[in-house]
């Protein structure tokens, strides 16, 4: 038996998360413009096993039904993303607004508030307006993209900020940069290492895109803090993905360095400039040289001015890192190491889920939380965490609604949060389970891919099921899984009640 120590704070925020392109559908309705995912999902040959977001879960027409589920599950909060091209179809700062799209999100927000559910809005979840990609290369133009993103953010603050008090600028900029512009497995599919890609430079483009997103975040934060927060009183952060890495050989200092280096390439790339207001990690500069863009004096001033309120953490799994003896290739993006799921002794990093790369590692999640808090000193909200159950992609609805693996995963990861708070002193203020619904490409909304694949295909279509609600993709009927009905109790049991600790 454990002690009465591993507790969540009484005001702990919790709920479920989704992303616009994965659930909304209605891609040609309501004045919405195309995004890079609309284009990518219709490429021939297909990159997404034939799946697309044209209908998805039809959330655009069924959001009231979906919010009834949130009420049924007892959720306090709901994290969703806004489609940039539904707000500004052409995307640019001088382009016209789409009042019909603005009205849709306004109704959606009101519907949540009517139910007593707190909206958490992500401004960008990978769905860049296609018009901006066509106009100037999208994120490859650092100057233009950050100015257009700032204007889009300001429109959202102006129209929704009277009711929305929790803002996330970007979801997983690492994924957008690496899978969109190095491996080519995500939109817009640029790569020089992927035979399916017809354009791109994997040695340079990811690092340019990363800088564009950092400065876009910074401009959106400065705009909010200066012109909106004084009257609206909200908070603003960013959601970063990243696994926790242990050394493959715990006795080898080179593997210890490799594990830390991998987390610097994964997290420090964005978190150091944003939260520490300093340059990228030195290990990145050392390996990448002049391929990693410098920050100008004026850009450094922007970094220093932008005060980001919280660290949004998207976490799913952990791995082992083993150093490599040979020099890194120009297209390496992990820090010149191998990522493995077993250590030198053959011990697996955790229990396997319904995806070969995702293993349940709650003890390492605790280390991850504590490391991030100690490094960056900001309150943490876990903005994504979840898994598919073993064999779930082949199950019927009646089979899938019984999901003991997911229940155990949620419970053990909540315990890890408790231990990080109470025993390690981390400040962790919320938890969002991924995802409310089984949806398009749940696989690719994930923070990590087993990099040995080099690239993946939001590209696994409608295969792996991460939802707490079973979606029948033919009828679109929603059916709650057991985990959805139990998450509330998991959280409330840890708010003021004892938890068994190991």
């Amino acid at each position: 038996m454990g002690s009465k120590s591993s507790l969540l704070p009484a005001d702990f925020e919790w709920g479920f998360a989704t992303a616009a392109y994965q659930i909304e559908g209605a891609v040609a309705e309501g004045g919405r413009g195309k995004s890079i995912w609309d284009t990518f999902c219709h490429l021939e040959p297909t990159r997404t096993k034939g799946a697309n977001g044209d209908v998805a879960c039809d959330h655009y027409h069924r959001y009231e039904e979906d919010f009834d589920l949130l009420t049924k599950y007892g959720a306090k909060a709901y994290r969703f993303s806004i489609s940039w091209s539904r707000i500004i179809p052409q995307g640019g700062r001088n382009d016209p607004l789409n009042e019909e799209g603005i009205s849709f999100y306004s109704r959606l927000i009101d519907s949540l508030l009517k139910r007593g559910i707190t909206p958490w809005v992500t401004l960008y979840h990978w769905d860049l307006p296609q018009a901006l990609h066509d106009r100037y290369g999208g994120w490859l133009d650092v100057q233009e993209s950050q100015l257009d993103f700032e204007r889009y953010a300001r429109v959202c603050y102006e129209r929704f900020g009277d009711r929305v008090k929790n803002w996330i600028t970007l979801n997983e900029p690492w994924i957008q940069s690496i899978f969109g512009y190095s491996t080519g497995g995500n939109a817009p599919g640029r790569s020089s290492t992927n035979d399916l890609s017809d354009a791109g430079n994997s040695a340079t483009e990811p690092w340019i895109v990363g800088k564009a997103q950092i400065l876009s975040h910074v401009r959106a934060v400065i705009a909010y803090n200066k012109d909106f927060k004084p009257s609206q009183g909200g908070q603003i952060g960013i959601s970063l993905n990243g696994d926790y890495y242990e050394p493959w050989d715990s006795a080898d200092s080179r593997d210890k360095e490799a594990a830390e280096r991998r987390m610097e390439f994964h997290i420090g790339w964005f978190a150091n400039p944003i939260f520490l207001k300093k340059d990228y990690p030195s290990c990145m500069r050392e390996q990448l040289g002049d391929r990693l863009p410098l920050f100008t004096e004026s850009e450094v001033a922007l970094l220093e001015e932008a005060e980001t309120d919280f660290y949004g953490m998207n976490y799913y799994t952990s791995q082992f890192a083993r150093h490599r003896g040979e020099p890194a290739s120009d297209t390496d993006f992990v820090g010149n190491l191998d990522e493995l799921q077993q250590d030198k002794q053959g011990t697996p990093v955790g229990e396997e889920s319904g995806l070969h790369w995702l293993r349940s590692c709650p003890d390492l999640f605790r280390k991850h939380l504590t490391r991030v808090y100690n490094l960056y000193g900001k309150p943490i909200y876990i903005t994504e965490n979840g898994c598919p159950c073993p064999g779930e992609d082949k199950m019927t609805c009646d089979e899938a609604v019984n999901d003991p693996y997911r229940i155990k995963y949620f419970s053990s990861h909540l315990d890890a949060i408790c231990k990080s708070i109470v025993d390690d002193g981390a400040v962790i203020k919320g938890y969002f389970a991924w995802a409310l619904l089984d949806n398009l490409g749940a696989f690719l909304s994930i923070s990590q891919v087993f990099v040995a694949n080099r690239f993946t295909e939001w590209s696994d279509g409608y295969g792996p099921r991460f939802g707490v609600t079973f979606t029948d993709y033919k009828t679109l009927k929603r059916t709650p899984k057991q985990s959805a009905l139990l998450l509330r109790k998991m959280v409330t049991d840890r708010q003021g009640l004892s938890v068994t600790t190991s």
Side-chain angles (χ1 to χ4, degrees), residues 7 13 33 38 48 75 94 114 125 136 176 213 231 240 276 293 348 360 403 423 427 460:
L7 307 174
E13 191 89 283
D38 292 297
T48 58
N94 297 313
K114 179 180 67 178
H125 199 126
Y136 54 70
Q176 176 70 92
Q213 292 179 97
S231 61
L240 301 180
L276 301 182
S360 179
D403 55 348
D423 298 334
V427 177
D460 247 23

Side-chain angles (χ1 to χ4, degrees), residues 203-474:
T204 59
E205 289 188 2
W207 317 113
I208 296 168
V209 169
K211 179 180 177 180
Q213 292 179 97
I214 289 168
L215 292 175
S216 294
H217 163 81
V218 162
R219 284 190 176 273
V221 167
I222 292 171
Y224 185 73
N225 288 344
K226 181 180 178 182
D227 296 335
F228 298 92
K229 182 182 282 188
S231 61
Q232 295 179 358
Q235 61 175 346
I236 189 165
I238 186 170
S239 288
L240 301 180
N241 62 291
D243 297 354
Y244 184 80
Y245 288 80
E246 292 270 67
W248 179 74
D249 181 352
S250 59
D252 192 330
S253 62
R254 295 169 298 178
D255 285 355
K256 291 179 180 178
E257 292 169 1
E260 184 63 26
R261 188 166 65 251
R262 182 64 187 99
M263 291 185 282
E264 293 281 34
F265 266 74
H266 219 157
I267 297 168
W269 176 11
F270 298 96
N272 282 20
I274 288 170
F275 293 105
L276 301 182
K277 306 177 189 298
K278 67 179 187 181
D279 196 22
Y280 305 109
S282 57
C283 63
M284 294 185 70
R285 282 261 173 241
E286 182 178 336
Q287 178 176 317
L288 300 171
D290 59 9
R291 289 185 287 121
L292 190 62
L294 294 167
F295 290 110
T296 66
E297 285 188 19
S298 61
E299 290 165 350
V300 170
L302 288 176
L303 292 176
E304 292 175 345
E305 182 181 353
E307 193 60 44
T308 303
D309 295 317
F310 63 87
Y311 184 109
M313 176 185 287
N314 290 3
Y315 171 89
Y316 292 87
T317 195
S318 297
Q319 299 186 64
F320 295 108
R322 182 178 63 194
H323 76 282
R324 291 178 184 163
E326 68 277 3
S329 71
D330 283 350
T331 57
D332 176 80
F333 52 79
V334 299
N336 198 28
L337 52 93
D338 296 315
E339 300 181 298
L340 303 164
Q341 293 179 307
Q342 295 182 337
D343 66 10
K344 187 177 182 181
Q345 284 71 43
T347 305
V349 72
E351 183 182 358
E352 194 169 352
S353 71
L355 282 170
H356 65 95
W357 59 264
L358 197 165
R359 291 177 177 267
S360 179
C361 317
D363 292 344
L364 299 184
F365 180 40
R366 172 186 173 179
K367 289 186 177 183
H368 187 53
L369 287 162
T370 302
R371 176 185 180 273
V372 165
Y373 180 73
N374 288 340
L375 274 175
Y376 302 113
K378 291 291 185 179
I380 296 172
Y381 291 88
I382 293 90
T383 43
E384 289 183 25
N385 181 240
C387 64
C389 299
E392 190 174 9
D393 58 326
K394 303 292 195 298
M395 292 181 183
T396 65
C397 177
D398 288 344
E399 294 168 334
V401 295
N402 181 24
D403 55 348
Y405 183 94
R406 182 177 291 107
I407 292 167
K408 181 181 177 182
Y409 182 96
F410 285 156
S411 181
S412 63
H413 283 69
L414 286 168
D415 283 345
I417 294 169
C418 294
K419 294 171 186 176
S420 183
I421 292 171
V422 176
D423 298 334
D424 304 339
V427 177
I428 305 167
K429 302 184 71 173
Y431 179 89
F432 291 85
W434 184 270
L436 174 62
L437 305 169
D438 290 332
N439 57 66
L440 167 67
F443 185 35
L444 265 292
S445 65
I446 307 309
S447 65
Q448 175 50 264
V449 166
F450 195 47
V451 174
N453 291 342
R454 302 309 297 173
F455 57 88
T456 75
E457 309 154 7
W458 252 334
S459 75
D460 247 23
Y462 291 95
R465 291 180 176 270
F466 278 79
V468 299
T469 309
F470 184 93
T471 305
D472 183 318
Y473 296 126
K474 293 182 179 179

